[in-house]
Amino acid sequence: MSPDATGLDFWIDLVSAAFMVVGAILSLGAAIGLLRFPDLLSRMHAATKPQVLGLFLLLAAIGLQMRSWWVWPVLVVAWIFQLLTVPVSAHMVGRAGYRTKHLHRELLTADELEAVVQKAAAKTAREDGSGDGQVR
Amino acid sequence: MMQTVLVLTAVIFSLAAGGAIIRIARGPSLLDRVLAADVLLAILGGALCVDMAVNRHLNNLMLVVAISIIGFIGSVTVARFVADRREQPNES
C-alpha cells in the first residue's frame, strides 16, 4: 500500500467491519429461523444463509484485513467448495425430509416432486406386476 | 474499532450457536438435528473467520477450507440412512 493511504486504511477497516457484523447477523438469522419456522423445508431455507452469503462476507473480511493479494485465491477456493458441497447436502436432506413426510403440505405452493414420484411408482408397479408400488 | 467488532460478533455468534444448540436438543426429527448441526458448523467457521480477520493471522484458514470441503459428508450420510419411524406425518 502507498504510505499516504491512512484514509484508505480506515475505509477498508470500516468495510470489513461491516462485512463481519453482517455475516454474524446472518448466522443469528439462521438460528432464529431454525427456532421459529414450522417444518423442515422452511428451516432449510433459513439454514443456507450463513453457509453461502455469511461465509462469503466473512472470507471477504479476511481478505480485506490481510491487505495482501495472495490470500484471495485460497478464500475463493474455500467459497467455491462451499458452493459445490452445500447443495449436495441440502438435496439429500430435502429428499429425505420429503420421503419421511417432514413437511406441511398446506404450506407448499408447488410440489413438482410428487408427479415424478407417482410416475416412478406406476412404472415399478407395472414392472413388478404385484409390486407394492412404493418408491423409496 | 476492531475490538468493538470482535465483541459484537462474539455476542451475535454466541446467541446464534445457542439457538442452533436448542434446535439440536429439541428438534422433533433427526433431519432437523442434522440441519441444526450444519448451521452450528457454519457458525463455527464464521467465528474462525472473524478471529482471523480481527487478529490478522491465517492460522485457521486451512481449517475453514477443510470444513467447506468435507463438512457436507455428515449430513449426507445421515440423510441417506434416515428412516421413517413416526406414526403420523406433519407433527414436526
Side-chain angles (χ1 to χ4, degrees), chain B residues 27-75:
Chain B
S29 72
L30 181 63
L31 290 169
D32 285 313
R33 294 192 171 97
V34 167
L35 192 66
D38 252 4
V39 172
L40 193 58
L41 188 66
I43 290 168
L44 181 76
L48 290 174
C49 288
V50 167
D51 176 48
M52 279 188 285
V54 169
N55 295 322
R56 296 199 182 181
H57 61 82
L58 290 174
N59 299 343
N60 303 324
L61 190 58
M62 284 308 119
L63 182 56
V64 172
V65 173
I67 283 175
S68 82
I69 291 176
I70 62 175
F72 75 110
I73 291 178
S75 59

Side-chain angles (χ1 to χ4, degrees), chain B residues 13 44 60 77 86:
Chain B
F13 275 128
L44 181 76
N60 303 324
T77 309
R86 293 180 312 156

Side-chain angles (χ1 to χ4, degrees), chain A residues 37-109:
Chain A
F37 280 167
D39 64 344
L40 179 71
L41 297 182
S42 47
R43 280 176 201 147
M44 285 176 64
H45 155 73
T48 49
K49 265 66 201 168
Q51 286 174 349
V52 177
L53 186 58
L55 188 71
F56 169 76
L57 289 174
L58 293 168
L59 292 175
I62 292 177
L64 289 175
Q65 282 292 307
M66 293 312 287
R67 304 283 202 282
S68 60
W69 289 110
W70 63 268
V71 281
W72 283 95
V74 185
L75 303 176
V76 167
V77 163
W79 195 56
I80 285 180
F81 271 108
Q82 184 83 355
L83 280 185
L84 286 177
T85 57
V86 158
V88 178
S89 69
H91 176 86
M92 292 295 288
V93 171
R95 279 301 280 263
Y98 186 92
R99 205 170 56 205
T100 55
K101 299 182 178 58
H102 283 108
L103 72 163
H104 291 290
R105 283 206 173 272
E106 65 273 12
L107 295 179
L108 296 180
T109 55

